[in-house]
Amino acid sequence: MNIKIELTYKTTKGTEATFISDEMRAEKGILIAEDLEKTGRSKNLSFIDRHDNKWTIKELKKFMQGIETEPHNVTVYFDGGFDLKTRKSGLGCAIYYEQNGKNFRQRINASVEELETNNEAEYAAFQLGLKEIERLGVHHLPVTFIGDSLVVINQLNGEWPVYEAELSKWIDRIEKQLERLGITPEYEIVSRKKNKETDHLASQALDGIEIRSTVEIGAEK
């Protein structure tokens, strides 16, 4: 979860000014806020998340403590590929998350035959990632979804219109699932070069190689 710190600073002579910090992880923000409060010169200190919700330090600490044992700080990378000759699609997802003070990475792929276009494959890969974080027990949290599909990201965030009926159905299914899980999606577009991990997973699925693994990052050999 990313936040900004907002506060009013008062000098020893009584001059005041309001400041808003750069965006940072909530854990880092709490440490900085606690240090600022020790100076006795900060007033009206609060945190602002990406959706302009305001949190007190007590509220944010309670929230962070509550999710510590559950998967949180979740990021889902996705990619889909469509083979025109075989009419098969390969889906790939890589999910990064924290739990109990540790960092994990989950990799999943799948091969499907009922899709008709590459854009559908991209949406199917997105939904595969969404299903997997539901299996992990992720709910009522912000989740960042990262892919290289301009169509999927820009249509889901409302930047681009949707003309194809089939893609509209995908969006409806995804939005209903996000709402049911209480997940606040945050979308990010990256280049294909920065999405190689899931591209490789999707290619492996097309080659008939099934992948499902979860590892603790830092514990790999």
Side-chain angles (χ1 to χ4, degrees):
M1 180 177 181
N2 289 342
I3 53 87
K4 294 181 180 179
I5 300 173
E6 182 180 53
L7 63 91
T8 300
Y9 186 82
K10 185 176 181 179
T11 68
T12 54
K13 294 184 178 181
T15 303
E16 294 185 356
T18 299
F19 297 93
I20 299 179
S21 74
D22 293 332
E23 189 173 89
M24 67 188 78
R25 293 284 291 275
E27 297 89 342
K28 179 180 178 181
I30 290 171
L31 290 174
I32 293 174
E34 288 177 333
D35 194 61
L36 286 166
E37 286 191 332
K38 289 177 183 177
T39 66
R41 296 180 185 173
S42 63
K43 296 169 55 181
N44 306 320
L45 191 150
S46 62
F47 302 95
I48 306 171
D49 64 25
R50 287 183 173 179
H51 304 281
D52 293 326
N53 299 310
K54 282 198 172 186
W55 306 67
T56 66
I57 190 167
K58 183 178 180 180
E59 290 170 340
L60 188 58
K61 287 177 72 174
K62 184 178 180 180
F63 175 78
M64 297 304 294
Q65 289 169 358
I67 66 172
E68 181 61 26
T69 58
E70 301 176 2
H72 58 282
N73 287 333
V74 183
T75 300
V76 179
Y77 288 82
F78 69 94
D79 195 32
F82 179 72
D83 190 321
L84 191 59
K85 292 182 179 179
T86 64
R87 311 299 294 179
K88 291 184 178 180
S89 299
L91 319 178
C93 290
I95 301 170
Y96 292 81
Y97 62 96
E98 296 177 22
Q99 187 172 15
N100 294 317
K102 298 178 181 179
N103 297 300
F104 295 92
R105 182 196 64 216
Q106 185 179 69
R107 287 174 173 165
I108 319 99
N109 69 357
S111 176
V112 293
E113 298 184 8
E114 65 269 19
L115 307 180
E116 297 294 330
T117 65
N118 191 73
N119 284 334
E120 276 196 83
E122 293 280 7
Y123 271 108
F126 185 104
Q127 191 173 51
L128 175 64
L130 190 52
K131 288 179 178 178
E132 289 302 320
I133 63 174
E134 181 176 7
R135 288 181 57 170
L136 284 171
V138 177
H139 61 90
H140 295 91
L141 288 174
V143 174
T144 301
F145 294 90
I146 300 176
D148 57 46
S149 171
L150 292 171
V151 170
V152 171
I153 298 296
N154 285 323
Q155 287 183 342
L156 284 173
N157 66 19
E159 293 291 327
W160 286 9
V162 185
Y163 299 112
E164 300 89 340
E166 201 57 44
L167 298 189
S168 183
K169 291 177 183 177
W170 278 105
I171 293 172
D172 288 343
R173 287 193 289 266
I174 288 169
E175 289 182 343
K176 286 178 181 178
Q177 193 168 1
L178 289 167
E179 184 178 359
R180 178 172 58 81
L181 295 174
I183 290 174
T184 304
E186 298 170 354
Y187 303 112
E188 184 178 335
I189 299 172
V190 294
S191 65
R192 289 184 178 181
K193 185 177 180 181
K194 293 184 177 180
N195 205 29
K196 284 184 177 180
E197 183 177 25
T198 51
D199 175 72
H200 185 57
L201 287 166
S203 297
Q204 287 177 308
L206 285 172
D207 291 335
I209 303 170
E210 184 177 337
I211 304 293
R212 174 174 287 275
S213 68
T214 302
V215 297
E216 181 187 341
I217 299 174
E220 298 172 275
K221 295 182 180 179

